[in-house]
Amino acid sequence: MKGFKVSRHEYITTSGIPRTCTAKDTYDTAVTLTEEAKIADLIDITEKDRLGIPVWCTIRPKERLGKVTAGAGRTTDDAKCAAMMGTVERYSSTYSGGQMDIASYEEVGLTRAVDPEELILPRKPEIGEKLHWLAGQDILHDERVYIPANAVYHPYDPIGMANQLFRSDPNGLGAGCVAEEAIIHGIYEVIERDALSRAETNYSLGKRLIPESGTPAGTLMEIFAAEGIEVTMWLLNDTYGIPTVAAVADDTITQDPFMIMMAASTHPDPNVAAEYTLLKLARNRVSQIFSEEVGIFSGRSAMVEKAGYERYKRINRIWFGNTQVISTDKIEGTQYTATDEELHAAIAAVAPHTDRICVVDLTRTPLPVWRVVIPGFEVSYTDPSRKKKTKLS
């Protein structure tokens, strides 16, 4: 694998979010991949929920995971783009053949490969245990590195004599119009899950956050409030100097436990992070309603139904707590004008906290998709079985 050279791509800003291409232009490229990505339908599901925030979804009936992929946006173009890009991301992350080496960590070489234990495993790997490996790039040190395929592909199914280390997930997958954009999105997602994992482990979400009035996030908050949906937003405790905003939405009218939704986003501009988070909440609400209608149930269904509304709120009480309140206009944020500035800043923010920042090019279409793997970053929010034994700082 050749070294990754960071290129500069200027941002434009649409719907309050910086992108290298408009949502419409990105969608126009993505929609040409409908047949290749095995998309049976792209549908508007906005009216499934009373919020009225645009939400579209793709249907891929032949997929074992991710049959429905939804996206939300402030406009129809934004929502259609989000749904298609999420689908391209999942399509590209599926193993489609190609070279994977089978070897133990000891055979690959301690200096040439990511130590599986640094990925925070549910079990200790055995000495000499055979794994699948892929060649990637460590963009922190600009060198080739081997990464367990289990941390790259999703879903991951071991073939032959290779073993599985953990349940695969999409954490760190990023799609974009250019490679740099995809990698930035992947890095931010890894930071987001790390921040959520630390918050829940330490029983502290940080400070209550209020979006600034007149911003896209402030307008979205008003839409939720007008429909009787209480959103409690948080600025999570900061480790990397890049804001992570999380929120819980509580439907006080229906008092449906399935409508207690959490979401989070990481972005150097806290207003953008807040906007992304609220759009994810809107997406998650509509996805829940639509999935129930078509008979697709998530892994949380049985637990939520058994708990009921009040108990489920008590289980997640740290999300509803009272503490210091801060407005987004009081938080120092950063706006970048191009991908090279933002990617170099993200690498510099993460560098003191890890030995490697690994990336793998999973692109299968004209839209780049990359997987970011940062050893040592927390993942217990996504997978409770992968949790460090000591309390996190």
Side-chain angles (χ1 to χ4, degrees):
M1 178 180 180
K2 296 180 180 178
F4 179 77
K5 183 178 179 181
V6 178
S7 298
R8 181 179 180 84
H9 303 273
E10 300 285 342
Y11 285 133
I12 58 175
T13 300
T14 59
S15 299
I17 294 173
R19 297 184 172 102
T20 58
C21 298
T22 66
K24 185 181 185 306
D25 287 345
T26 306
Y27 169 76
D28 287 344
T29 300
V31 78
T32 64
L33 309 172
T34 296
E35 183 176 351
E36 179 180 348
K38 298 179 175 61
I39 299 171
D41 209 353
L42 171 67
I43 58 177
D44 182 0
I45 55 176
T46 305
E47 297 306 317
K48 300 293 181 183
D49 190 18
R50 65 184 189 273
L51 281 172
I53 296 170
V55 181
W56 283 65
C57 77
T58 63
I59 310 294
R60 294 199 298 156
K62 295 184 179 180
E63 289 302 306
R64 179 162 57 90
L65 296 175
K67 296 179 187 297
V68 176
T69 302
R74 291 175 59 212
T75 69
T76 296
D77 283 343
D78 292 334
K80 291 166 71 175
C81 173
M84 287 299 298
M85 289 298 279
T87 304
V88 169
E89 185 179 286
R90 290 300 184 91
Y91 167 72
S92 299
S93 70
T94 303
Y95 177 68
S96 59
Q99 180 64 37
M100 289 194 297
D101 296 327
I102 298 181
S104 68
Y105 172 52
E106 293 77 16
E107 290 170 330
V108 175
L110 307 187
T111 61
R112 299 172 57 232
V114 171
D115 184 346
E117 289 197 67
E118 290 184 4
L119 300 178
I120 310 177
L121 306 179
R123 63 174 180 84
K124 186 176 178 64
E126 298 178 5
I127 295 176
E129 183 172 352
K130 301 294 184 180
L131 305 172
H132 280 133
W133 298 88
L134 286 174
Q137 187 74 14
D138 176 359
I139 59 174
L140 184 56
H141 299 104
D142 190 24
E143 62 185 19
R144 181 185 177 97
V145 63
Y146 284 90
I147 308 161
N150 197 161
V152 177
Y153 291 119
H154 177 64
Y156 170 75
D157 297 304
I159 304 169
M161 299 297 291
N163 292 315
Q164 187 157 1
L165 293 168
F166 52 85
R167 184 179 69 246
S168 69
D169 59 57
N171 184 28
L173 284 172
C177 291
V178 296
E180 289 79 6
E181 195 169 36
I183 292 171
I184 289 166
H185 292 168
I187 290 174
Y188 289 165
E189 185 167 86
V190 173
I191 292 173
E192 172 204 312
R193 304 296 165 80
D194 176 271
L196 285 166
S197 299
R198 290 172 181 272
E200 290 211 330
T201 298
N202 293 327
Y203 303 103
S204 174
L205 292 180
K207 299 176 182 178
R208 289 279 295 272
L209 183 65
I210 304 295
E212 185 179 358
S213 178
T215 63
T219 301
L220 287 168
M221 283 286 276
E222 292 170 3
I223 293 173
F224 278 87
E227 296 298 332
I229 300 166
E230 293 183 357
V231 175
T232 306
M233 186 170 282
W234 297 87
L235 177 66
L236 299 189
N237 292 319
D238 187 21
T239 303
Y240 310 106
I242 303 175
T244 296
V245 174
V248 59
D250 176 17
D251 195 328
T252 62
I253 293 177
T254 66
Q255 295 196 343
D256 182 349
F258 287 100
M259 288 293 106
I260 296 175
M261 294 290 179
M262 290 83 164
S265 294
T266 297
H267 195 275
D269 183 342
N271 285 299
V272 173
E275 180 181 356
Y276 271 135
T277 299
L278 291 166
L279 290 173
K280 286 181 180 180
L281 287 177
R283 177 201 66 190
N284 293 349
R285 280 180 56 87
V286 181
S287 294
Q288 176 66 37
I289 296 167
F290 179 73
S291 295
E292 286 183 356
E293 286 186 2
V294 298
I296 299 174
F297 300 97
S298 68
R300 68 192 279 262
S301 298
M303 185 270 288
V304 175
E305 184 174 13
K306 182 178 180 181
Y309 176 71
E310 293 295 344
R311 183 161 179 257
Y312 192 59
K313 283 189 70 173
R314 288 197 301 274
I315 291 170
N316 294 285
R317 57 187 172 273
I318 65 169
W319 286 82
F320 299 93
N322 291 313
T323 185
Q324 180 182 352
V325 177
I326 188 171
S327 173
T328 52
D329 64 340
K330 303 298 183 185
I331 305 168
E332 184 176 352
T334 307
Q335 294 83 35
Y336 296 100
T337 61
T339 54
D340 58 339
E341 299 170 6
E342 188 166 359
L343 181 52
H344 285 309
I347 292 171
V350 170
H353 306 276
T354 186
D355 293 329
R356 300 182 188 272
I357 303 173
C358 306
V359 298
V360 181
D361 186 0
L362 296 178
T363 304
R364 295 172 63 186
T365 76
L367 292 167
V369 173
W370 287 68
R371 168 75 86 157
V372 175
V373 178
I374 306 180
F377 274 46
E378 301 296 329
V379 292
S380 59
Y381 181 82
T382 303
D383 185 349
S385 71
R386 297 169 64 192
K387 190 170 185 177
K388 285 185 177 178
K389 303 300 182 185
T390 57
K391 199 169 185 179
L392 307 171
S393 60

